[in-house]
Amino acid sequence: MHLINIQPQDIFQSLADPTRIRIMRLLVMAGEESCLCELVDSLLEPQYKLSRHLKVIRQAGLLTSDKEGRWIYHRLVQGVQFLEPLYQMLKALPDNDGIFAADLARFRERMCLREEGRCRVGIQNTELAEGSE
């Protein structure tokens, strides 16, 4: 277990971007860990962009990551009492344009491609893979 030193200003700074809010909202709503491939296919954002956003969120202390071979799985930090209201607030955000619902629907569909509970297929939307423009 690692000691996480979370600074309030880092939390809010990490959520000051619409894509990072989408990532966090998706992980909160899904209640599951996710690899980058699954996030790319769910959020329809390029791999390089999501990698940078995940790094910011992780450095703020909101995500942890575990590597399994070539796959890195990202999950919400749990067991920190003051983060639970933040997660509830993310769930309660309005979804007037339906983007959060669409992200979650794509995520649930994408999770069906897992083998034995793990991602093994990589990014399915090749236009969003690293190096594509």
Side-chain angles (χ1 to χ4, degrees):
M1 179 178 203
H2 5 329
L3 181 61
I4 299 172
N5 184 16
I6 299 174
Q7 298 297 317
Q9 65 274 15
D10 294 338
I11 291 172
F12 290 104
Q13 201 168 25
S14 74
L15 295 175
D17 180 273
T19 301
R20 292 194 292 264
I21 290 173
R22 288 175 64 203
I23 292 168
M24 288 296 295
R25 166 87 180 225
L26 179 63
L27 293 174
V28 167
M29 294 300 290
E32 295 191 49
E33 66 184 3
S34 177
C35 73
L36 180 59
C37 306
E38 293 162 337
L39 291 173
V40 167
D41 288 334
S42 301
L43 300 174
L44 302 178
E45 295 287 347
Q47 178 180 350
Y48 70 90
K49 182 178 179 182
L50 290 181
S51 288
R52 284 185 293 182
H53 287 304
L54 287 167
K55 180 180 178 183
V56 170
I57 299 168
R58 196 173 46 254
Q59 288 175 336
L62 298 175
L63 290 181
T64 62
S65 300
D66 291 317
K67 187 170 181 161
E68 273 184 34
R70 68 182 198 141
W71 310 103
I72 299 175
Y73 293 92
H74 307 278
R75 75 182 55 77
L76 297 172
V77 169
Q78 298 295 322
V80 179
Q81 187 177 6
F82 68 84
L83 288 179
E84 291 308 315
L86 176 68
Y87 298 157
Q88 292 306 313
M89 184 269 312
L90 286 164
K91 283 183 180 181
L93 289 174
D95 190 16
N96 297 333
D97 57 6
I99 196 161
F100 296 143
D103 291 344
L104 186 58
R106 285 188 298 268
F107 182 79
R108 288 189 172 140
E109 185 177 319
R110 179 62 169 78
M111 295 301 276
C112 293
L113 298 178
R114 282 189 167 196
E115 298 173 9
E116 298 177 11
R118 299 322 242 171
C119 178
R120 298 292 182 240
V121 297
I123 297 171
Q124 298 299 290
N125 188 329
T126 55
E127 294 175 7
L128 298 173
E130 190 171 41
S132 297
E133 292 186 21

